[in-house]
């Protein structure tokens, strides 16, 4: 969410209230550069707005919502109601605290991948059911922004829950390249293509890395 902040006029402006992510681009005069609430852009702001605080300690304070007093909780509810029904800011999903995301160091098998194709039950606070996709040694959850590409009945659905290293290195939809994921015989150009996919997933798409693929 922090990437959807105030610093790029071409990007939307997101902020969250009690984990609900709003696109407040329509209020850029308030939340954009020079606006009175620009400090909130790209952050969880539930506690801050409940307390009407501009202090950094109240930004991204997910746990602090539970400690708000009655009046502060009512104020937070008022902000959420205002965003949803008065300002009509689009709800983009839910933000998940980093501490509640799966560890990027855990080891996942291909069987683990196969259980996460976007068709299973959606975890609490997730905007969509997880979709795991492995490239190289890294496992990404592409449900964070990639549901329309990798979700059920979408263009790249066949890569969901799979190691797509060989297939994407070769730019191939051949089922054989999903069954045989070995890239040792790929050409230098194909290996470069795979590296570019990994870089795109990490740096441009910002898909979270939620584990390493068991070899």
């Amino acid at each position: 969410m922090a990437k959807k902040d105030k610093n790029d006029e071409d990007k939307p402006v997101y902020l969250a209230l009690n984990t609900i992510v709003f696109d407040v681009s329509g209020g850029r005069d308030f939340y954009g550069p020079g606006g009175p609430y620009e400090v909130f852009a790209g952050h969880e702001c539930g506690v801050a707005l409940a307390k009407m605080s501009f202090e950094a300690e109240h930004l991204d304070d997910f746990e602090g919502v539970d400690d708000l007093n009655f009046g502060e909780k009512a104020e937070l509810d008022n902000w959420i109601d205002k965003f949803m029904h008065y300002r009509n800011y689009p709800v983009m999903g839910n933000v998940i605290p980093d501490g509640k995301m799966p560890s990027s160091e855990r080891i996942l098998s291909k069987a683990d991948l196969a259980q996460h194709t976007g068709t299973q039950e959606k975890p609490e606070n997730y905007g969509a059911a997880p979709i795991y996709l492995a490239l190289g040694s890294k496992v990404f959850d592409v449900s964070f922004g990639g549901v329309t590409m990798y979700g059920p009945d979408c263009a790249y659905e066949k890569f969901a829950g799979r190691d797509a290293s060989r297939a994407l290195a070769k730019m191939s939809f051949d089922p054989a390249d999903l069954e045989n994921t070995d890239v040792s015989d790929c050409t230098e150009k194909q290996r470069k293509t795979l590296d570019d996919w990994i870089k795109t997933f990490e740096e441009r798409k910002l898909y979270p890395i939620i584990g390493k693929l068991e070899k």
Side-chain angles (χ1 to χ4, degrees):
M1 187 175 68
K3 298 293 183 180
K4 309 292 187 181
D5 62 14
K6 64 185 187 303
N7 297 316
D8 190 329
E9 292 295 334
D10 295 327
K11 292 182 179 180
V13 182
Y14 288 2
L15 63 78
L17 295 175
N18 198 16
T19 77
I20 304 170
V21 179
F22 293 92
D23 182 346
V24 297
S25 302
R28 194 178 293 272
D29 288 346
F30 289 94
Y31 303 102
Y37 296 102
E38 66 173 319
V39 68
F40 300 134
H43 294 281
E44 159 61 44
C45 308
V47 171
L49 288 178
K51 294 177 175 289
M52 289 307 300
S53 167
F54 290 83
E55 298 297 326
E57 66 182 289
H58 293 137
L59 295 175
D60 302 318
D61 184 4
F62 293 91
E63 303 298 331
V65 171
D66 294 332
D67 297 327
L68 296 174
N69 63 39
F70 180 82
E72 291 167 341
K73 288 181 178 179
E75 183 65 21
L76 175 56
D77 289 340
N78 287 337
W79 275 100
I80 293 173
D81 186 67
K82 177 181 178 180
F83 274 36
M84 284 186 170
H85 304 297
Y86 175 65
R87 297 295 300 180
N88 293 318
Y89 291 137
V91 175
M92 307 307 294
N94 294 82
V95 64
I96 302 172
D98 290 340
K100 294 187 178 181
M101 287 292 293
S103 170
S104 61
E105 296 298 316
R106 65 176 179 157
I107 304 300
L108 297 170
S109 67
K110 290 183 178 180
D112 293 324
L113 297 186
Q115 295 176 15
H116 297 84
T117 61
T119 58
Q120 71 281 9
E121 184 177 352
K122 179 174 70 72
E124 183 180 3
N125 288 335
Y126 273 60
I131 303 173
Y132 289 1
L133 190 157
L135 288 177
S137 63
K138 299 176 181 180
V139 179
F140 298 88
D141 185 348
V142 298
S143 70
F144 287 80
V147 172
T148 57
M149 294 292 290
Y150 301 97
D153 301 319
C154 295
Y156 292 91
E157 173 190 17
K158 63 175 58 183
F159 298 143
R162 308 294 294 269
D163 178 359
S165 300
R166 184 180 180 88
L168 290 181
K170 298 175 65 176
M171 297 300 291
S172 168
F173 283 87
D174 186 340
D177 288 321
L178 287 172
E179 296 302 326
N180 172 24
T181 60
D182 182 19
V183 296
S184 62
D185 62 340
C186 286
T187 66
E188 182 177 346
K189 182 178 180 180
Q190 290 168 341
R191 290 174 179 270
K192 172 67 164 54
T193 298
L194 175 58
D195 289 341
D196 288 344
W197 274 104
I198 294 172
K199 184 176 181 179
T200 294
F201 273 37
E202 286 192 68
E203 299 180 11
R204 189 162 69 85
K205 295 297 187 180
L206 302 176
Y207 295 140
I209 299 171
I210 46 77
K212 297 179 179 179
L213 185 62
E214 181 180 60
K215 295 297 185 180

